[in-house]
Amino acid sequence: MMEDLYQEIILDHYRKPHNRAPSLVDEDVHVHHSNPLCGDEMDLRLRVVDDRVDGLVFDGEGCSISQAAASAMTDAVIGREVKDALDLVEDFRRMMHGDDPARPDDLLDGVAFQGVAKFPVRVKCALLGWMAVRDAIQTYERGASAHTVNHEE
Amino acid sequence: MMEDLYQEIILDHYRKPHNRAPSLVDEDVHVHHSNPLCGDEMDLRLRVVDDRVDGLVFDGEGCSISQAAASAMTDAVIGREVKDALDLVEDFRRMMHGDDPARPDDLLDGVAFQGVAKFPVRVKCALLGWMAVRDAIQTYERGASAHTVNHEE
Amino acid sequence: MTIDVPTLRKEFPTLSRELDGQRLVYLDSAASSQTPTAVLDAMDHFYRWSRSNVHRGVYPLAEEATDLYEGGRTKLASFLDADPRGVVFTKNATEACNLVAYSWVRRNLREGDAMLSTVMEHHANHVPFTYAARDLGFEVRHITLTDDGQLDLDVARRLLADGKVRFLAVGHVSNVLGTINPVAELARMVREANPDALVHVDGTQAAPHLPVSFRDLGVDFYAVTGHKMLGPTGIGALVARPELLDAMDPFLSGGDMIRDVTLEGSTWNDIPHKFEAGTPMIAEAAGLGAAVDWLTDLGMTRVREHEVALTAAMIEALTSIEGVTIHGPTDMAVRGGAISFAVEGVHPHDVGAMLGSKGVCVRVGHHCTKPLMRCLKLNATARASSYIYNDVDDLEPLVDGIEAARSFFAR
Amino acid sequence: MTIDVPTLRKEFPTLSRELDGQRLVYLDSAASSQTPTAVLDAMDHFYRWSRSNVHRGVYPLAEEATDLYEGGRTKLASFLDADPRGVVFTKNATEACNLVAYSWVRRNLREGDAMLSTVMEHHANHVPFTYAARDLGFEVRHITLTDDGQLDLDVARRLLADGKVRFLAVGHVSNVLGTINPVAELARMVREANPDALVHVDGTQAAPHLPVSFRDLGVDFYAVTGHKMLGPTGIGALVARPELLDAMDPFLSGGDMIRDVTLEGSTWNDIPHKFEAGTPMIAEAAGLGAAVDWLTDLGMTRVREHEVALTAAMIEALTSIEGVTIHGPTDMAVRGGAISFAVEGVHPHDVGAMLGSKGVCVRVGHHCTKPLMRCLKLNATARASSYIYNDVDDLEPLVDGIEAARSFFAR
Ligand SMILES: Cc1ncc(COP(=O)(O)O)c(C=O)c1O
Ligand SMILES: Cc1ncc(COP(=O)(O)O)c(C=O)c1O
């Protein structure tokens, strides 16, 4: 069971998260997401240049799964056009609900989280960062600069 | 089971009820009691002379047990001092809740209903007339002449 | 294909019991049905194998418990052709009606408004709303009956004419008269008179007996209870349109139904959880899931066919007894299996007691429908109600018992 | 005499299960307890032998069902030293709290009034009242905690000083900190400040573990839940002073709780039935009756002694692990068996998952106490909670699992 959940890739992201930082130069959007059911909190900052995700950092408290998933998410999303990023988010979301990913290569280390779908209570954790980036992009598209969401999916 | 419940004495009272009548000359009190849970309805009329139950009739709709119990009740109560009648009512009530009667001889045919205590849903039926006469006497003592009660005990 | 009752009966343990040496003839399924062993096994499996609490558990037992509970919801939803997000588990149908009364009616109807109901409602579908009316001062109107015990739609039309009716509460099938009410048609009439009006159906006596499609009925709320549809006690459900639940304030509050709680206030969880406060009926949901699976395997069309055939035979047997009359429609196209009857000169209590002494279980009383009793000018009726485990061999004991009551009691 | 745990464990089927070849160590009884076979047998007996509805039945099955149901009430009443007329069955403790909120608080408190509560309440004992406050505008005050996780009675005194507090809602034992609150003393303080104020106690975590006398506590309402005290899911109870219930308006309405119903209105049945609308949890009441019988046979004093000994040992074992700290009091005189703990550098979810993978079931999260979590500046805790079937042999797997989590996750 532990092996299904905590693959080596996941543990690596958890131990040495990528793009984890408390601030971002020239940030366009800052969203704060929390998952009240498990207490995870996440700040996510986004910078968009020419319709592309140019900068993306996360920070906050959470379990290994939520931290690792957010880390893997930043790798997969940085550099993409915002529309494409939203599409990738949807692919990850579906994967968390048991579908096979349509874009496994683009998810990069994100595919390592496929096994989490078997642990319903951890799905929320894995989704936290991905839902935050979706919200950040949508907030950007609405022309706003900050958003706070309590959620569970 | 039928034998425990419907003793011959009970059936006799049911088939040929005593003191069943729609009116009473010089009545002092008229009470109407109903048992909404089983739909039984009873009118009871009381005349008191010199602190004694001088006249007592009942009328109404009900199952064999409620009709027979009311009939037996009138026999046991007519002629008694009102205080004594209330005491006898209490004896019957306790018997319906499983106690042995303290005044079996005074209850007359009322003792035949002891077996009803074993049929909780029929206890209410057996008590209807007895509760009505208690109420009629108490109504008389309060100086009123009519009372209506919905009850179940 | 008809139901093989003798084989099927073996799955219902209580039916193999004898009463005073006589075969138990259970004709009180409108009060509560029997439970097949498959349902008992499903509950036992939870208690003996996965006993734990649902939601938020990080160990396997808790996940299994959650799956059993949510699986019960999915199964009930597909049994009633509804969206699982619109299925709220309650402890019984009565709580489901109260949910509608507290979360919608009490928060929407005011003095000057009216609601529509009928004189044949079970207290569960009557008292929560008249209690709300007493507190809030809105008007309650009642559709009366035709001579053969059906809702008088002309009266309904009149009561709807001024457009003030914002809510209809109606039973799908009467537990006393057996009448099947035209709820889809009534829903259309209500919405024609007032497009914003909502329709709540008490499906307690329909769901066990008829194929029901919540979607096709076109109503807003539909209440059912587990213990009358082969399920356990302690569980029922309100089925509702999800959009409606989304917009409604919760009723019971506490754990599990919140998203966030601060000292000052709370935000609510997603539906259906918003309406399920506290530890839910886990074993019961597993049991109810097994019950609807069992019914689906049998086939609801067959269940209804069996009801039609057996009820017609029972009506014939009863009416052939001298002095017996039946309340309610006799046309099987508009009636279910509950048969209320009167025995001339014998009080229903005495009928029931005599039948009980012969192993035949029927219900006597007002059946939680006092307003209907008043309309029929009755204090009580005796009621025989059959289900899939009853068969024509149950008619003889019923008839014999009634005849015995007549000769024993009739004056 | 101590409890013979190995023998006793045989009565709890789920405990003999293995998880991935490891013995199941169940340390989540504060969420839900296991159920002994005696309880399952009591329910089974109802379903297989007396399956029918309660009240008003004239045949033997219905009388047996009524006896089982009412017998459950009598047993629970004597278990809690209360009058059976004051015992209302609900589906869980949450409904019991809602009953108080709807039938008393919402009908008595208004703008300008205040109620008192604490920051450590479970959502079940918090949200129904803050929800009422939101609708009605009365004030809610909260007793804060001392450093060792006990209620600060000086704060309580200050909050009571202006005499505006008409209602206190307080838990008997905290499901997170384990704290046993001085409810009798609080009740006295509240009534001194305002003789008309009522006191409602959430006894959910106390009734399974301590000898409880409702009479001696001197409070007005006491809520319990079946599934945490060896009973089935789907049943709880509100214990109340009968005079109070008599004077209160009902909450849920429908069948069984009425005396008479007309089209216009209704009169209510006697207590406790006035508060029990619809078909009740018959099997569940029989099961809960068997559960409290079982506990009475074991002896609640012994149950508490076992808790004191085992919890003290568990606290010692946990605090001896490097990086582990315990939230809440450590003095067994003022605490029950729930132990929330933190593992330095490891998120509670990961602690729980690691323990789960080793067959050790603990709960992680906010435990339906978000306000308390905010006070403690925590998002979540891991919680180990024991019961009579736990013993010192459960400590090693717990400690091993936590150490594994530390070496696996700590960065
Ligand atoms: C202290 C406390 N109060 C109330 C509850 C609610 O109990 P239930 O979920 O059975 O309604 C719980 C358990 O979840 C609890 O621990
Ligand atoms: C028509 C009808 N509605 C509602 C109910 C109430 O169901 P429950 O008692 O399970 O809440 C019943 C059964 O008693 C019924 O027959």
Side-chain angles (χ1 to χ4, degrees):
Chain A
M1 172 189 162
M2 287 302 277
E3 301 65 45
D4 295 354
L5 191 54
Y6 298 105
Q7 300 195 16
E8 215 34 57
I9 304 183
I10 297 184
L11 285 175
D12 285 347
H13 275 281
Y14 163 65
R15 296 211 176 92
K16 296 202 190 56
H18 307 176
N19 302 299
R20 184 181 163 117
S23 63
L24 177 68
V25 187
D26 293 336
E27 79 175 32
D28 289 303
V29 175
H30 166 207
V31 296
H32 180 87
H33 276 224
S34 66
N35 179 339
L37 286 188
C38 63
D40 290 355
E41 304 267 347
M42 183 166 296
D43 285 284
L44 191 108
R45 295 175 155 84
L46 166 72
R47 185 177 61 234
V48 178
V49 172
D50 290 344
D51 245 23
R52 278 180 192 277
V53 176
D54 186 63
L56 187 65
V57 299
F58 77 99
D59 199 14
E61 261 199 62
C63 66
S64 56
I65 301 293
S66 75
Q67 299 294 301
S71 169
M73 178 276 292
T74 59
D75 286 350
V77 163
I78 289 175
R80 293 198 179 273
E81 277 191 34
V82 295
K83 260 191 73 171
D84 186 41
L86 288 179
D87 186 73
L88 200 62
V89 169
E90 182 56 21
D91 200 38
F92 186 86
R93 197 188 65 78
R94 283 167 183 275
M95 184 177 83
M96 281 301 98
H97 287 107
D99 293 350
D100 275 328
R103 306 171 57 183
D105 295 344
D106 295 341
L107 287 171
L108 305 181
D109 289 352
V111 288
F113 291 81
Q114 186 159 15
V116 177
K118 278 184 285 169
F119 302 84
V121 281
R122 304 312 288 272
V123 164
K124 303 192 282 280
C125 310
L127 280 171
L128 188 63
W130 291 84
M131 292 300 107
V133 76
R134 183 175 74 180
D135 178 42
I137 293 174
Q138 290 168 343
T139 303
Y140 174 80
E141 290 180 331
R142 276 203 317 276
S145 68
H147 200 217
T148 298
V149 183
N150 275 345
H151 66 102
E152 38 167 327
E153 178 149 15
Chain B
M1 169 189 164
M2 287 303 275
E3 302 63 45
D4 296 353
L5 192 55
Y6 297 105
Q7 300 196 16
E8 215 34 58
I9 304 183
I10 296 184
L11 285 175
D12 285 348
H13 276 281
Y14 164 65
R15 296 211 177 91
K16 297 205 188 57
H18 308 174
N19 303 299
R20 183 181 166 119
S23 63
L24 178 68
V25 186
D26 294 334
E27 78 175 33
D28 290 301
V29 176
H30 166 207
V31 297
H32 180 86
H33 276 223
S34 66
N35 178 341
L37 285 188
C38 64
D40 289 355
E41 303 267 348
M42 183 167 296
D43 285 283
L44 190 107
R45 295 175 155 83
L46 166 71
R47 186 177 59 233
V48 178
V49 173
D50 291 342
D51 245 23
R52 276 178 193 279
V53 177
D54 187 63
L56 187 63
V57 299
F58 77 100
D59 200 13
E61 261 199 63
C63 66
S64 56
I65 301 292
S66 75
Q67 300 294 301
S71 168
M73 177 277 292
T74 59
D75 286 351
V77 163
I78 290 175
R80 293 198 180 274
E81 275 191 37
V82 295
K83 258 190 74 171
D84 186 42
L86 288 180
D87 185 74
L88 200 62
V89 169
E90 183 56 20
D91 200 39
F92 187 86
R93 198 188 65 78
R94 282 166 184 274
M95 184 177 83
M96 282 301 99
H97 288 106
D99 294 349
D100 274 330
R103 305 172 56 184
D105 295 345
D106 294 342
L107 286 172
L108 304 181
D109 289 352
V111 287
F113 291 81
Q114 186 159 16
V116 177
K118 278 183 286 169
F119 302 84
V121 281
R122 305 310 289 272
V123 166
K124 302 192 282 282
C125 311
L127 280 172
L128 188 62
W130 290 84
M131 292 300 106
V133 77
R134 182 175 74 179
D135 178 41
I137 293 174
Q138 290 169 343
T139 303
Y140 173 80
E141 290 181 331
R142 275 203 316 277
S145 68
H147 200 217
T148 297
V149 182
N150 275 346
H151 67 103
E152 34 165 331
E153 177 148 15
Chain C
M1 215 175 64
T2 56
I3 293 178
D4 174 8
V5 177
T7 306
L8 179 151
R9 268 183 195 159
K10 297 196 184 105
E11 300 188 43
F12 294 86
T14 302
L15 294 183
S16 65
R17 183 172 164 184
E18 298 201 336
L19 287 177
D20 281 339
Q22 302 155 107
R23 179 170 73 85
L24 178 76
V25 176
Y26 190 75
L27 288 170
D28 197 17
S29 293
S32 212
S33 72
Q34 295 297 316
T35 336
T37 44
V39 170
L40 304 180
D41 291 346
M43 293 195 284
D44 232 47
H45 177 74
F46 163 71
Y47 282 119
R48 288 176 194 269
W49 186 249
S50 306
R51 180 72 172 89
S52 61
N53 210 328
V54 296
H55 302 310
R56 294 188 313 282
V58 287
Y59 52 86
L61 265 56
E63 288 181 12
E64 291 161 15
T66 306
D67 288 348
L68 286 172
Y69 180 67
E70 293 298 334
R73 191 194 311 280
T74 322
K75 288 172 185 195
L76 183 63
S78 78
F79 182 73
L80 297 172
D81 189 23
D83 185 334
R85 291 174 61 243
V87 175
V88 176
F89 280 128
T90 58
K91 68 176 171 182
N92 53 24
T94 303
E95 186 196 330
C97 295
N98 277 272
L99 197 174
V100 174
Y102 277 94
S103 278
W104 199 82
V105 173
R106 280 181 183 257
R107 291 186 178 265
N108 285 280
L109 265 66
R110 287 291 167 275
E111 233 180 293
D113 293 330
M115 69 164 274
L116 187 61
S117 187
T118 88
V119 296
M120 63 160 85
E121 295 314 306
H122 187 278
H123 293 163
N125 204 34
H126 174 96
V127 187
F129 304 114
T130 51
Y131 189 23
R134 190 181 87 174
D135 283 347
L136 298 169
F138 60 83
E139 188 193 342
V140 187
R141 301 174 181 175
H142 296 93
I143 308 175
T144 50
L145 307 185
T146 61
D147 286 344
D148 67 338
Q150 298 193 56
L151 292 179
D152 191 329
L153 296 190
D154 290 333
V155 172
R157 226 162 267 123
R158 259 199 322 277
L159 295 175
L160 287 166
D162 65 3
K164 283 195 179 174
V165 168
R166 298 192 52 199
F167 181 74
L168 167 69
V170 62
H172 198 163
V173 176
S174 161
N175 63 317
V176 176
L177 304 174
T179 320
I180 302 176
N181 291 321
V183 289
E185 189 178 344
L186 278 165
R188 270 193 301 277
M189 288 168 57
V190 166
R191 290 198 221 278
E192 248 163 54
N194 181 341
D196 295 332
L198 296 194
V199 176
H200 165 68
V201 176
D202 171 6
T204 308
Q205 295 288 349
H209 300 283
L210 313 174
V212 170
S213 165
F214 176 73
R215 284 195 184 84
D216 290 350
L217 282 177
V219 301
D220 301 292
F221 303 108
Y222 197 89
V224 300
T225 207
H227 67 93
K228 299 197 207 252
M229 49 199 288
L230 306 185
T233 58
I235 191 163
L238 180 71
V239 181
R241 285 195 294 113
E243 320 81 78
L244 207 53
L245 287 184
D246 258 333
M248 280 160 56
D249 275 318
F251 164 38
L252 299 175
S253 58
D256 270 352
M257 56 70 72
I258 55 93
R259 173 155 303 161
D260 200 3
V261 175
T262 65
L263 286 177
E264 293 72 40
S266 312
T267 49
W268 315 126
N269 200 339
D270 292 331
I271 62 162
H273 310 289
K274 180 168 85 175
F275 292 95
E276 295 182 352
T279 302
M281 299 67 78
I282 310 170
E284 290 81 354
L288 184 53
V292 297
D293 272 356
W294 199 95
L295 282 171
T296 304
D297 284 351
L298 192 62
M300 287 307 292
T301 310
R302 276 167 80 196
V303 169
R304 171 63 180 158
E305 280 164 12
H306 180 72
E307 171 171 275
V308 169
L310 182 57
T311 308
M314 196 180 290
I315 290 177
E316 197 180 308
L318 286 170
T319 46
S320 70
I321 309 172
E322 214 194 301
V324 170
T325 47
I326 282 175
H327 310 292
T330 50
D331 174 6
M332 282 312 299
V334 295
R335 70 141 34 250
I339 308 178
S340 280
F341 59 93
V343 184
E344 201 188 346
V346 189
H347 190 280
H349 256 204
D350 294 319
V351 174
M354 176 62 87
L355 283 167
S357 77
K358 298 196 170 299
V360 182
C361 307
V362 301
R363 185 121 315 216
V364 302
H366 55 61
H367 315 292
C368 293
T369 58
K370 296 274 294 180
L372 176 62
M373 291 294 126
R374 283 211 180 78
C375 286
L376 301 174
K377 300 198 171 41
L378 294 169
N379 289 324
T381 77
R383 179 188 70 188
S385 57
S386 63
Y387 204 9
I388 40 173
Y389 34 68
N390 295 109
D391 211 344
V392 282
D393 62 347
D394 294 334
L395 299 182
E396 196 179 301
L398 175 66
V399 170
D400 287 354
I402 294 172
E403 277 171 347
R406 261 179 61 82
S407 58
F408 193 77
F409 289 108
R411 294 185 271 225
Chain D
M1 216 175 67
T2 56
I3 294 178
D4 175 7
V5 178
T7 307
L8 180 150
R9 269 185 193 156
K10 298 198 183 101
E11 301 187 43
F12 295 85
T14 302
L15 293 184
S16 64
R17 184 173 164 184
E18 298 201 335
L19 287 177
D20 282 338
Q22 302 154 108
R23 179 169 73 85
L24 178 76
V25 175
Y26 190 76
L27 287 171
D28 198 17
S29 292
S32 211
S33 72
Q34 295 297 315
T35 336
T37 44
V39 170
L40 304 180
D41 290 347
M43 294 195 284
D44 231 48
H45 177 75
F46 163 71
Y47 282 120
R48 288 176 194 269
W49 186 249
S50 305
R51 181 70 172 92
S52 60
N53 210 328
V54 296
H55 302 311
R56 294 187 315 280
V58 288
Y59 52 87
L61 265 56
E63 288 180 13
E64 291 161 14
T66 307
D67 288 347
L68 286 172
Y69 179 67
E70 294 298 334
R73 191 194 311 280
T74 321
K75 288 172 185 194
L76 183 63
S78 78
F79 182 72
L80 297 172
D81 188 23
D83 184 333
R85 292 174 61 243
V87 175
V88 176
F89 280 128
T90 58
K91 67 177 171 182
N92 52 25
T94 304
E95 187 197 329
C97 296
N98 277 270
L99 197 173
V100 175
Y102 277 95
S103 277
W104 199 82
V105 173
R106 281 181 182 257
R107 291 185 178 266
N108 286 280
L109 265 65
R110 286 292 167 272
E111 234 180 292
D113 292 331
M115 69 164 275
L116 187 61
S117 187
T118 88
V119 296
M120 65 160 84
E121 295 314 306
H122 187 279
H123 293 162
N125 204 33
H126 174 97
V127 187
F129 304 114
T130 51
Y131 188 23
R134 190 180 88 174
D135 283 346
L136 298 168
F138 59 82
E139 188 193 342
V140 187
R141 301 173 182 176
H142 295 93
I143 308 175
T144 49
L145 306 186
T146 61
D147 286 344
D148 67 337
Q150 297 194 56
L151 292 180
D152 190 329
L153 297 189
D154 289 332
V155 173
R157 225 162 268 123
R158 258 198 323 276
L159 295 175
L160 287 166
D162 65 2
K164 283 194 177 174
V165 168
R166 298 192 52 200
F167 181 73
L168 167 70
V170 62
H172 198 163
V173 176
S174 162
N175 63 318
V176 176
L177 304 175
T179 320
I180 301 177
N181 291 320
V183 290
E185 190 178 344
L186 278 165
R188 269 193 303 276
M189 287 167 58
V190 166
R191 290 198 221 278
E192 247 163 56
N194 182 341
D196 294 332
L198 297 193
V199 176
H200 165 67
V201 175
D202 170 6
T204 307
Q205 296 289 349
H209 300 284
L210 313 174
V212 170
S213 165
F214 176 74
R215 283 195 185 85
D216 290 350
L217 282 178
V219 302
D220 300 292
F221 302 108
Y222 197 89
V224 300
T225 206
H227 67 93
K228 298 195 209 253
M229 49 198 287
L230 307 185
T233 58
I235 191 163
L238 181 71
V239 181
R241 284 196 294 114
E243 320 82 78
L244 206 55
L245 287 185
D246 258 333
M248 279 159 56
D249 276 317
F251 165 39
L252 299 176
S253 59
D256 270 351
M257 55 70 72
I258 56 94
R259 173 155 302 161
D260 200 4
V261 175
T262 65
L263 286 177
E264 293 73 38
S266 311
T267 49
W268 315 125
N269 200 339
D270 292 331
I271 62 162
H273 311 289
K274 180 167 86 173
F275 292 95
E276 295 182 353
T279 301
M281 298 68 77
I282 309 170
E284 289 82 354
L288 183 54
V292 297
D293 273 355
W294 198 95
L295 281 171
T296 303
D297 284 351
L298 191 61
M300 287 309 290
T301 309
R302 275 168 81 198
V303 169
R304 172 63 181 157
E305 279 163 11
H306 180 72
E307 172 171 275
V308 169
L310 182 57
T311 308
M314 195 179 291
I315 290 178
E316 197 180 309
L318 286 171
T319 46
S320 69
I321 308 173
E322 213 195 302
V324 171
T325 47
I326 281 175
H327 310 293
T330 50
D331 174 5
M332 283 312 299
V334 294
R335 70 142 32 250
I339 308 178
S340 280
F341 59 94
V343 184
E344 202 188 345
V346 189
H347 190 281
H349 256 205
D350 294 319
V351 174
M354 177 62 87
L355 284 167
S357 77
K358 298 196 171 298
V360 182
C361 307
V362 301
R363 184 120 318 214
V364 303
H366 55 60
H367 315 291
C368 293
T369 57
K370 295 275 294 181
L372 176 62
M373 291 294 126
R374 283 211 180 79
C375 286
L376 301 175
K377 300 199 172 39
L378 294 169
N379 290 322
T381 76
R383 180 188 70 188
S385 57
S386 65
Y387 205 8
I388 39 173
Y389 33 70
N390 294 109
D391 212 343
V392 282
D393 62 347
D394 293 335
L395 299 181
E396 195 180 303
L398 174 66
V399 170
D400 286 354
I402 294 172
E403 278 172 347
R406 262 178 61 82
S407 58
F408 193 76
F409 288 109
R411 293 186 271 224

